[in-house]
Amino acid sequence: MKKLLNKANSHLLLVLLATLFFIQQGCKKEQSPSTSKGLPVINSIRNYVASPGDSVLTSVGTGKWIVISGSNLRGALQIYFNGVKGSFNDAWFSDTSAIVLIPEVIAFPLVEESQLNTIRYVTNHGETTFSFPIVAPAPTISGISNESANPGDSVKINGFNFFFIERISYAGVEVTDFKASSDGTSISMAVPATVSTSGPVLVRTKSGADTTFYHVHDYVTGVLNNYDAVNNFSWGSDVSNSSVDFPGNNGNYGIMKASNVPAGNGEWWGGGRSINTNDAQWVAVSHLQDTLSTYALKFEVAVKKPWLNGTIQIVRDQNWDYMALYRPWRNANGSATAFKTDGWQTVTIPLTNFLKASLPASTLTELLGQEGKGAIKFMFVNDGSDVVSNFEAAVDNIRIVKIR
């Protein structure tokens, strides 16, 4: 019995020693130098996606993850695309491959000719430059600064990748006099003098085109109240048409006012602090099966006096369950920056921002009811800890718009 136990123990010891040996060998194999030797070499660029998408590329756009294939690629210090630094983690690199994120924004018009279509790879043991087509993606329109601007007024088309622009159409009228920002995120222009009807905005570049789903200068579709042709205003704020007080207006508009409002005061119904309309159709019954996220509340606003605290609460009818908040002075990190506008500007609040216990409705019917209509209320309250000394905001063209 003892011999049997001794033999079993001996076998166990041998197994343990063999296991330790292979572990040590594996560790030795895994220990590779943190940097390569010799000049880096780039052979090809591949997609950083699962097969079969990880094919060799012949060109690439901005904001893409790629894999650089070659040799001596460890020890990277910087990787430039058209002269702009990419993002990477050298810990992900091997000697023959490097995973890199191309910059989201490259100001193509400002890139020196010698840097166009180049990848410059800099390491602690040398560098190389690889010629490779880096193209601007197709443009994307994210919004129009003032969808109701009058002919001749200045507007901005906001978005991304406005490079090498070939054509702009604004409400069906061609625009030839414009200026694109160097980073491709905006186009400044004047509303054409011949704009007379509503229509979409189109931007075409060498890389593609984008067109707004909605129309600018549309004073009919989805309008709940504009104080003029569609006047559902019931009570609350003052109404004016002064182009001296708020230049660039389209006829009548509402003016919400509040002064010396104590902290925590929610008496929105007094002193012209609210806009209250009669019933209006938010979404046609035939479209109540559409996805909630495809619709937004829009309106134009003009604020001349710095707005630093207080909130406009927005609800449908007396349904206080779902509420949207408009407080443009509040930054994403919770800090405050006094808000003013340079004339009128368009505000877009997706219907998914009408929240109940911090959650949006799951359907349009849940938010708007079976008939898809109701009144709308804009209510100014002081939900902060400081006195609101002087608040004033002009509001016009309140509407529900299908945004995609």
Side-chain angles (χ1 to χ4, degrees), residues 42 45 58-62 66 79-84 102 106-121 128-137 164 206-207:
I42 298 176
I45 308 297
T58 56
S59 65
V60 70
T62 60
I66 61 167
I79 304 174
Y80 298 90
F81 298 85
N82 282 7
V84 182
I102 300 174
I106 296 177
F108 286 87
L110 301 182
V111 177
E112 294 181 10
E113 187 174 352
S114 61
Q115 294 180 324
L116 276 173
N117 298 320
T118 63
I119 300 175
R120 181 183 168 212
Y121 199 101
T128 188
T129 298
F130 184 66
S131 295
F132 191 78
I134 302 171
V135 298
F164 311 115
K206 289 182 178 179
S207 302

Side-chain angles (χ1 to χ4, degrees), residues 361-383:
S362 57
T363 65
L364 282 168
T365 302
E366 183 180 339
L367 177 65
L368 305 179
Q370 296 295 329
E371 296 183 350
K373 66 180 182 179
I376 191 167
K377 291 180 177 291
F378 284 48
M379 306 166 292
F380 183 80
V381 300
N382 185 0
D383 51 358

Side-chain angles (χ1 to χ4, degrees), residues 286-367:
S286 59
H287 287 281
L288 286 176
Q289 298 306 312
D290 292 350
T291 305
L292 180 73
S293 61
T294 61
Y295 287 86
L297 167 69
K298 290 191 177 189
F299 54 92
E300 271 69 57
V301 69
V303 178
K304 294 194 302 182
K305 301 173 182 178
W307 177 10
L308 194 57
N309 53 356
T311 299
I312 294 179
Q313 299 176 335
I314 306 172
V315 299
R316 170 189 159 272
D317 271 342
Q318 301 296 329
N319 182 3
W320 302 93
D321 288 341
Y322 289 100
M323 176 183 292
L325 305 178
Y326 179 58
R327 44 191 178 196
W329 52 266
R330 184 171 180 176
N331 302 315
N333 62 4
S335 62
T337 302
F339 176 77
K340 291 175 61 178
T341 65
D342 182 12
W344 293 82
Q345 71 178 38
T346 298
V347 177
T348 301
I349 301 177
L351 292 193
T352 51
N353 283 18
F354 283 77
L355 305 179
K356 174 183 178 181
S358 300
L359 295 174
S362 57
T363 65
L364 282 168
T365 302
E366 183 180 339
L367 177 65

Side-chain angles (χ1 to χ4, degrees), residues 390-404:
N390 198 352
F391 165 79
E392 184 178 64
V395 177
D396 200 3
N397 304 315
I398 302 170
R399 59 201 185 273
I400 302 296
V401 178
K402 191 170 176 61
I403 53 177
R404 61 175 183 270

Side-chain angles (χ1 to χ4, degrees), residues 26-170:
C27 290
K28 288 179 180 178
K29 289 180 181 179
E30 290 175 359
Q31 292 173 355
S32 56
S34 60
T35 61
S36 305
K37 295 180 179 179
L39 294 176
V41 176
I42 298 176
N43 296 326
S44 63
I45 308 297
R46 303 197 324 268
N47 264 326
Y48 180 59
V49 293
S51 181
D54 58 347
S55 56
V56 175
L57 298 173
T58 56
S59 65
V60 70
T62 60
K64 305 291 185 183
W65 284 96
I66 61 167
V67 178
I68 298 175
S69 299
S71 58
N72 303 325
L73 298 180
R74 280 188 177 275
L77 301 176
Q78 297 292 347
I79 304 174
Y80 298 90
F81 298 85
N82 282 7
V84 182
K85 294 179 183 179
S87 301
F88 62 88
N89 184 342
D90 188 51
W92 297 352
F93 292 12
S94 72
D95 192 58
T96 59
S97 65
I99 302 170
V100 192
L101 175 62
I102 300 174
E104 184 72 36
V105 175
I106 296 177
F108 286 87
L110 301 182
V111 177
E112 294 181 10
E113 187 174 352
S114 61
Q115 294 180 324
L116 276 173
N117 298 320
T118 63
I119 300 175
R120 181 183 168 212
Y121 199 101
V122 182
T123 72
N124 54 16
H125 50 88
E127 67 175 75
T128 188
T129 298
F130 184 66
S131 295
F132 191 78
I134 302 171
V135 298
T140 300
I141 300 174
S142 61
I144 313 299
S145 61
N146 181 3
E147 296 174 14
S148 300
N150 294 313
D153 288 350
S154 297
V155 296
K156 278 188 177 181
I157 303 172
N158 297 310
F160 304 97
N161 304 313
F162 296 143
F163 300 115
F164 311 115
I165 297 170
E166 296 180 335
R167 180 190 173 207
I168 296 175
S169 174
Y170 192 93

Side-chain angles (χ1 to χ4, degrees), residues 237-238 255-259 261 270-274 380 390-393:
S237 70
D238 292 340
I255 306 176
M256 300 177 67
K257 295 181 179 180
S259 59
V261 181
R273 287 166 53 177
S274 65
F380 183 80
N390 198 352
F391 165 79
E392 184 178 64

Side-chain angles (χ1 to χ4, degrees), residues 228 238-246 249-255:
D228 295 307
D238 292 340
V239 177
S240 173
N241 63 1
S242 171
S243 57
V244 175
D245 294 339
F246 292 95
N249 60 301
N250 298 123
N252 294 311
Y253 52 85
I255 306 176

